[in-house]
Amino acid sequence: MIKKNIITDQVFGSPGYCSDFRLNADELGQMRAFIEENWLAVLMKSYPEHVEKFRPKGLAYYHQHSHLISHETLWVKENRLLSAEQVEQIKQMPFLKGLREFFDDFVISEVVYGDTIEKREEIYWRLVRPHSPSDIGPLHTDKWFHDIVGEYSTGLYPAGTVTAKVWIPIWCEPEKNGLKIVPDSNQRPWKHRYVNKGGVEKPQLDEEAEGILIETPPGNMLIFSENTLHGGTLNVGETTRVSVEITLVFPP
């Protein structure tokens, strides 16, 4: 059951999203530390000879040296998952406890990448380099992805389950990069189809829709329905955009 209040009315009603929650300065700093720890560990494992080129300026300037590595191969989702220990610490942060005051009975989604499902909670990060169209995906709803994951393609969650996404900008330049959303798009179904990309079935919007870039300073999260159309925008800033995603699952 989803608790009814002004926040859930926005997320699951109109406009299909909410931008009222923010990380405090300590939470943002800790989240940045967790992600950079993960980022450097992955680089150390695959490209130890280049780690000291990336480390001094940090992840926000990753793009300056990304040509030294195979970006597309290295940053698959399984390499962007925060550890179980980091997730446990995040669960104790005030922002997540605050979400429970409004959303009540939810759990965090299990880890999913490709056809793999792990029995642990999933919090992961994304990065979008400046002026790199290949780093962003098209408009989509999370529900489309949920419907094609699971044993025998029966879906990721049991019938009647509802989810919402928490998207948190960690390094972000407002108006130059971030997330675009189609307001009220959760109010009706959208035509879509599935296409095979690199051996993986991915949903594709099959009609016209126009998203708007939501202004989000670092730490200013967006929470939106699984049926809300959203997607990344071309990063026209000077730093790498980094965000965190958490899926809240509401049992039937």
Side-chain angles (χ1 to χ4, degrees), residues 209-243:
E210 190 67 37
I212 59 172
L213 176 61
I214 310 298
E215 185 174 340
T216 50
N220 189 164
M221 65 189 76
L222 294 174
I223 307 172
F224 50 89
S225 160
E226 63 182 4
N227 294 309
T228 297
L229 280 172
H230 64 281
T233 60
L234 183 67
N235 181 355
V236 297
E238 298 180 357
T239 58
T240 294
R241 191 212 85 189
V242 180
S243 58

Side-chain angles (χ1 to χ4, degrees), residues 62-81:
Y62 157 80
H63 58 282
Q64 293 182 349
H65 297 292
S66 64
H67 63 281
L68 298 173
I69 66 173
S70 177
H71 173 87
E72 289 76 13
T73 302
L74 187 61
W75 299 118
V76 291
K77 185 178 178 181
E78 51 264 45
N79 283 342
R80 295 180 282 108
L81 293 163

Side-chain angles (χ1 to χ4, degrees), residues 14-244:
S14 179
Y17 68 93
C18 169
S19 58
D20 293 344
F21 289 86
R22 293 167 177 78
L23 300 182
N24 63 39
D26 289 341
E27 291 172 319
L28 180 59
Q30 187 63 74
M31 200 77 82
R32 285 177 169 174
F34 284 155
I35 295 168
E36 288 212 317
E37 178 183 348
N38 177 229
W39 169 64
L40 289 170
V42 172
L43 285 170
M44 179 62 77
K45 184 177 179 179
S46 299
Y47 296 94
E49 70 277 18
H50 293 315
V51 168
E52 292 311 316
K53 296 183 180 71
F54 288 98
R55 190 193 304 270
K57 284 192 171 182
L59 184 48
Y61 292 92
Y62 157 80
H63 58 282
Q64 293 182 349
H65 297 292
S66 64
H67 63 281
L68 298 173
I69 66 173
S70 177
H71 173 87
E72 289 76 13
T73 302
L74 187 61
W75 299 118
V76 291
K77 185 178 178 181
E78 51 264 45
N79 283 342
R80 295 180 282 108
L81 293 163
L82 295 182
S83 70
E85 293 76 15
Q86 291 171 331
V87 170
E88 283 302 315
Q89 292 184 60
I90 290 171
K91 286 168 61 180
Q92 302 309 310
M93 289 182 177
F95 88 91
L96 204 49
K97 292 182 177 181
L99 289 180
R100 290 201 178 276
E101 295 180 12
F102 290 93
F103 291 94
D104 201 17
D105 186 24
F106 68 78
V107 297
I108 295 175
S109 173
E110 293 177 338
V111 166
V112 179
Y113 51 89
D115 293 328
T116 300
I117 301 176
E118 296 183 14
K119 297 295 183 180
R120 63 185 179 95
E121 293 164 309
E122 176 184 273
I123 299 180
Y124 66 99
W125 52 275
R126 292 182 183 269
L127 72 171
V128 177
R129 295 167 294 177
H131 308 286
S132 181
S134 63
D135 287 2
I136 58 176
L139 286 172
H140 66 278
T141 78
D142 288 345
K143 185 67 164 58
W144 298 346
F145 282 93
H146 299 166
D147 286 347
I148 58 172
V149 177
E151 189 175 11
Y152 311 117
S153 297
T154 56
L156 181 58
Y157 305 111
T161 302
V162 175
T163 72
K165 173 66 62 64
V166 179
W167 181 87
I168 312 173
I170 303 301
W171 281 278
C172 186
E173 297 172 78
E175 299 184 0
K176 294 184 178 181
N177 52 45
L179 196 72
K180 60 182 176 183
I181 283 180
V182 181
D184 292 317
S185 54
N186 60 318
Q187 301 299 305
R188 71 168 180 90
W190 292 79
K191 294 178 183 178
H192 64 285
R193 56 192 171 94
Y194 293 94
V195 296
N196 191 290
K197 294 185 177 180
V200 178
E201 290 292 314
K202 292 192 175 182
Q204 180 174 298
L205 181 64
D206 221 13
E207 59 179 299
E208 293 297 319
E210 190 67 37
I212 59 172
L213 176 61
I214 310 298
E215 185 174 340
T216 50
N220 189 164
M221 65 189 76
L222 294 174
I223 307 172
F224 50 89
S225 160
E226 63 182 4
N227 294 309
T228 297
L229 280 172
H230 64 281
T233 60
L234 183 67
N235 181 355
V236 297
E238 298 180 357
T239 58
T240 294
R241 191 212 85 189
V242 180
S243 58
V244 160

